[in-house]
């Protein structure tokens, strides 16, 4: 009997030992899971929190993201070098933009003083593949920035519909630096001069941006002609702003632009900038300089030809840092463009429709328009009582 009792005790001991080993394995699994949770939590604290607070690199120029502080990466997709933080003394939301972005966007100013930096990452497309039947191109290699093509198509479709002309020929669009150099050298060889008065210095041509184009004429009988913007073609100058285009080199601004009048050269800048420029009679250099007077606290508010309201302002780049924090004064859709030398231009679509204001003369001279105590322009709405007013924002 004693021998049987001993075997039973060993069996029990073996079972207890197995249970202990099982408990140890279970405990180890629990600890491993807890360790994984701790590590994951630390990862979330390091990465997830910056996502929420805007410290992770995203493309800041689309205006489609929710407004938050976002930090751009450098060209190697690495974070900005200095541990900058969003300003705490502002009630605005902010986005942080790489300072190299001042050289990109549809509002960059390219002229003899400001060279075009690079076409890197530009979305250049051949017009031949994208155009409508309302105009022609002189070659399959004539190209533009993608965002400028649809407005061009819409403009020339409307021109053909209103005038019956579909004879506009686009003879120049995007050029590489090498193509610009070849044109410049050919002109010097032709004229014998040391500098060209007709062809922009390589690196300083708007054509290198992909936002500029030149018009000519090609008729149905196979003949061609020069585009001078007169007669029926005056329609373009009167309406191009509604499609985001401007006549880049007006006849009365040659001393400012440094370029002789070019009736055939148009530049895409987008609405509402084109509307303001063409309405006010400014050249592009004047407009870019004027925008420096407008801040997030006091933006330029423009009502375009469709009555759509926008707020536009300038933020200087903090060139001693890697990024600049740009305040956003509204949660409405926005775009950010560099000006190509010292800062950013922010355009916010206020998603509001307002009564049109003339930009061709001082606002106080516009009949029926007065300002309220805040400096906003108010005008009586036609057909309603004199006590009913609609706020219309004036040009500064």
């Amino acid at each position: 009997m004693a021998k049987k009792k001993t075997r039973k005790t060993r069996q029990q001991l073996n079972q207890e030992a197995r249970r202990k080993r099982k408990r140890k394995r279970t405990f180890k699994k629990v600890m491993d899971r807890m360790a994984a949770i701790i590590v994951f939590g630390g990862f979330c604290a390091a990465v997830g929190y910056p996502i929420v607070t805007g410290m992770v690199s995203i493309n800041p120029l689309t205006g489609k993201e929710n407004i938050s502080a976002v930090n751009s990466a450098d060209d190697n997709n690495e974070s900005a070098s200095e541990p900058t933080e969003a300003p705490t003394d502002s009630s605005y939301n902010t986005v942080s933009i790489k300072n190299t972005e001042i050289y990109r966007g549809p509002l960059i100013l390219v002229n003899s003083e400001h060279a075009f930096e690079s076409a890197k990452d530009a979305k250049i497309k051949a017009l031949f593949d994208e155009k409508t039947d309302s105009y022609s191109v002189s070659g399959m290699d004539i190209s533009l920035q993608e965002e400028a093509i649809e407005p061009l198509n819409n403009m020339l479709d409307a021109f053909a519909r209103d005038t019956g002309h579909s004879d506009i020929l686009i003879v120049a669009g995007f050029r590489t630096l090498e193509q610009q150099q070849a044109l410049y050298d050919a002109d010097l060889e032709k004229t014998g001069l040391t500098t060209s008065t007709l062809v922009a210095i390589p690196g300083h041509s708007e054509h290198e941006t992909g936002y500029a184009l030149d018009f000519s004429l090609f008729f149905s009988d196979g003949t061609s002609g020069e585009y001078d913007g007169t007669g029926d073609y005056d329609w373009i100058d009167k309406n191009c702003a509604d499609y985001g285009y401007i006549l880049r080199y007006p006849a009365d601004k040659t001393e400012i632009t440094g370029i002789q009048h070019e009736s055939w050269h148009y530049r895409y800048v987008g609405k509402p900038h084109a509307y303001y420029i063409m309405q006010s009679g400014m050249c592009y250099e004047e407009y870019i300089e004027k925008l420096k007077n407008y801040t997030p606290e006091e933006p330029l508010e423009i009502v375009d030809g469709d009555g759509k309201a926008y707020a536009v302002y300038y933020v200087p780049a903090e060139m001693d840092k890697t990024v600049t924090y740009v305040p956003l004064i509204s949660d409405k859709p926005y775009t950010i463009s560099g000006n190509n030398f010292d800062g950013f231009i922010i355009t916010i679509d206020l998603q509001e429709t307002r009564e049109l204001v003339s930009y061709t003369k001082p606002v106080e001279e516009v009949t029926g328009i007065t300002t309220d105590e805040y400096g906003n322009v108010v005008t009586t709405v036609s057909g309603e009582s004199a006590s009913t007013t609609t706020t219309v924002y004036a040009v500064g």
Side-chain angles (χ1 to χ4, degrees):
M1 295 292 294
K3 199 172 185 178
K4 183 177 180 181
K5 183 177 181 181
T6 301
R7 285 198 301 270
K8 183 177 180 181
T9 300
R10 288 178 179 175
Q11 183 179 8
Q12 290 174 339
L13 290 173
N14 289 337
Q15 289 176 346
E16 289 178 359
R18 286 195 295 269
R19 285 196 292 268
K20 287 181 180 180
R21 288 194 294 272
K22 184 176 180 181
R23 284 197 296 269
K24 287 182 178 180
R25 288 195 297 269
T26 301
F27 179 78
K28 186 176 185 303
K29 288 181 180 180
V30 171
M31 294 303 295
D32 288 343
R33 288 175 182 174
M34 289 180 65
I37 290 172
I38 292 171
V39 171
F40 181 74
F43 175 81
C44 289
V47 177
Y49 176 73
I51 290 175
V52 175
T53 57
M55 296 298 290
V56 171
S57 171
I58 66 171
N59 181 357
L61 298 180
T62 65
K64 295 180 180 179
E65 304 83 13
N66 291 327
I67 292 180
S68 59
V70 295
N71 188 10
S72 296
D74 61 20
D75 291 336
N76 296 318
N77 289 323
E78 296 179 355
S79 298
S81 58
E82 75 279 353
T84 56
E85 294 183 359
T88 58
D89 58 347
S90 173
S91 61
Y92 302 133
N93 290 306
T94 62
V95 293
S96 68
I97 309 298
K98 289 184 299 181
N99 288 328
T100 54
E101 293 293 327
I102 65 172
Y103 305 113
R104 300 177 184 176
L107 294 175
I108 57 174
L109 173 65
V110 175
N111 56 20
S112 60
E113 295 181 5
H114 304 293
F116 178 61
E117 290 293 318
S118 172
K120 180 183 177 182
D121 299 331
K123 296 181 180 180
I124 304 294
K125 284 194 171 184
L127 279 177
F128 185 83
D129 299 326
E130 305 290 333
K131 65 179 288 297
T132 66
D133 295 332
S134 298
Y135 64 98
S136 304
V137 293
S138 63
M140 296 182 67
D141 60 340
I142 302 295
S143 306
L144 283 179
Q145 289 271 4
E146 182 179 18
E147 65 182 299
I149 295 177
E150 184 177 356
L152 173 68
N153 288 343
N154 292 339
M155 177 173 70
L156 295 184
D157 284 349
F159 170 71
R161 182 176 62 249
D162 291 352
T163 67
H165 290 285
S166 57
D167 47 21
I168 287 183
L169 174 70
I170 298 180
V171 294
F174 168 71
R175 293 182 193 142
T176 63
L177 177 63
E178 293 74 20
Q179 290 171 328
Q180 188 67 26
Q181 185 71 57
L183 286 174
Y184 189 80
D185 293 343
D187 188 61
L188 295 185
E189 183 177 353
K190 179 180 178 181
T191 63
L193 300 175
T194 56
T195 58
S196 175
T197 59
L198 296 176
V199 182
I201 298 172
H204 293 262
S205 171
E206 282 203 326
H207 286 287
E208 294 172 61
T209 71
Y211 289 110
L213 52 82
D214 292 344
F215 286 167
S216 185
L217 298 175
F218 183 75
F219 305 110
S220 58
D221 61 1
T223 60
S224 60
E226 293 185 0
Y227 178 92
D228 61 10
T230 63
D232 287 347
Y233 303 98
D234 183 56
W235 186 100
I236 301 291
D237 288 354
K238 290 179 177 178
N239 295 277
C240 63
D242 290 331
Y243 302 91
Y245 279 88
I246 61 171
L247 178 66
R248 180 63 178 91
Y249 303 116
D252 60 343
K253 301 292 182 179
T254 56
E255 291 186 2
I256 300 174
T257 64
I259 302 292
Q260 66 180 13
H261 173 51
E262 293 188 357
S263 58
W264 57 86
H265 183 104
Y266 292 86
R267 162 71 189 272
Y268 180 78
V269 295
K271 296 171 64 177
H273 310 282
Y275 187 79
Y276 187 93
I277 292 167
M278 294 297 288
Q279 275 271 305
S280 65
M282 290 183 175
C283 66
Y284 197 50
E285 281 79 1
E286 291 175 306
Y287 180 65
I288 291 297
E289 187 63 28
K290 182 181 180 68
L291 286 182
K292 289 190 175 183
N293 298 320
Y294 297 94
T295 65
E297 293 77 21
E298 296 183 0
L300 170 64
E301 300 196 26
I302 302 175
V303 180
D304 71 13
D306 296 322
K308 295 181 179 179
Y310 299 82
V312 181
Y313 54 95
Y314 163 81
V315 175
E318 299 180 56
M319 297 306 290
D320 58 332
K321 300 179 181 179
T322 302
V323 301
T324 294
Y325 281 95
V326 174
L328 298 172
I329 63 175
S330 170
D331 60 356
K332 304 295 176 61
Y334 67 94
T335 59
I336 300 176
S337 173
N339 67 3
N340 198 39
F341 54 99
D342 67 0
F344 301 98
I345 300 167
I346 296 81
T347 306
I348 297 182
D349 182 352
L350 298 177
Q351 297 183 319
E352 299 175 10
T353 301
R354 298 178 182 166
E355 189 170 332
L356 299 184
V357 174
S358 172
Y359 299 127
T360 59
K361 60 181 65 176
V363 70
E364 60 269 15
E365 297 180 14
V366 179
T367 303
I369 294 181
T370 57
T371 58
D372 62 20
E373 60 181 311
Y374 303 105
N376 296 326
V377 176
V378 295
T379 181
T380 301
V381 178
S382 177
E384 297 185 10
S385 65
S387 62
T388 303
T389 60
T390 298
T391 301
V392 183
Y393 290 82
V395 187

